[in-house]
Amino acid sequence: MSSFTAPLLLEAMPEERNGEGLFRVAEAFGYEIGSRGSGDWVWVPVGFMTDLCTVPWFARPFIPLSGKVAKPALLHDWLLTNGDPRAIAVFAEALKVAQVRRGRRGVLLAAVKLWACWRRVRATVIGRPATQGA
C-alpha cells in the first residue's frame, strides 16, 4: 500500500482565500503513488500555500477541514496547482491510505468531482479559466 513521509507540519497564515484560512507547508512531505516501492513519488515543498479543503459554508459541518483529510487534501491541491491529471485519483487513494472512513471518502470524492465538473463548465460555457481555488 502507498505511504506518506513525515508528519504534516503547517504554519497558519494571516491571509485568506475565498474566506478560508491559509496554511503554509513548513516541512516538505512526500507521497508514493500506487504500491509501496513503486518509485512514483509526489513531493509537496516547503512554502506551498493551501486552504486544505475549499468547502462551501453550507457543507462545512459534513466535510472535515483537517485531521486525517489534511495530507490528502494538501496533496490534491499541489497536484491541481501543477496541472497533474491524476489529482482526483491520487486524492481517492491517499484518503484510503490515511484511513478516512468509506462514507466520508465518498462525500469528499463526490465534492471534488462536482467541483472539477463545475470548473470545466465554467471554463467552456462561461469562458472563465478553470484556476485552482477560484
Side-chain angles (χ1 to χ4, degrees):
M1 180 173 269
S2 300
S3 63
F4 287 100
T5 63
L8 181 59
L9 296 175
L10 298 174
E11 176 183 29
M13 303 304 289
E15 303 94 39
E16 289 188 355
R17 180 191 306 150
N18 298 327
E20 298 288 336
L22 287 177
F23 300 89
R24 184 179 83 70
V25 174
E27 183 176 319
F29 78 93
Y31 177 77
E32 189 172 19
I33 299 171
S35 61
R36 189 170 279 162
S38 71
D40 189 6
W41 285 90
V42 174
W43 289 91
V44 180
V46 169
F48 178 65
M49 300 285 283
T50 182
D51 61 1
L52 292 179
C53 290
T54 304
V55 178
W57 66 269
F58 59 85
R60 289 183 191 147
F62 310 106
I63 299 176
L65 301 176
S66 60
K68 292 179 181 180
V69 175
K71 276 187 178 181
L74 196 127
L75 181 63
H76 179 257
D77 272 5
W78 175 251
L79 292 169
L80 275 182
T81 299
N82 290 289
D84 193 319
R86 304 174 298 173
I88 293 175
V90 171
F91 181 55
E93 178 184 300
L95 286 169
K96 192 170 185 178
V97 168
Q99 299 179 343
V100 174
R101 291 189 325 260
R102 184 181 304 192
R104 185 149 292 180
R105 282 196 321 258
V107 169
L108 290 163
L109 288 170
V112 165
K113 289 175 183 179
L114 186 61
W115 180 248
C117 182
W118 165 245
R119 289 175 59 215
R120 281 192 302 276
V121 167
R122 185 174 65 177
T124 56
V125 176
I126 302 172
R128 289 188 57 194
T131 57
Q132 188 238 350

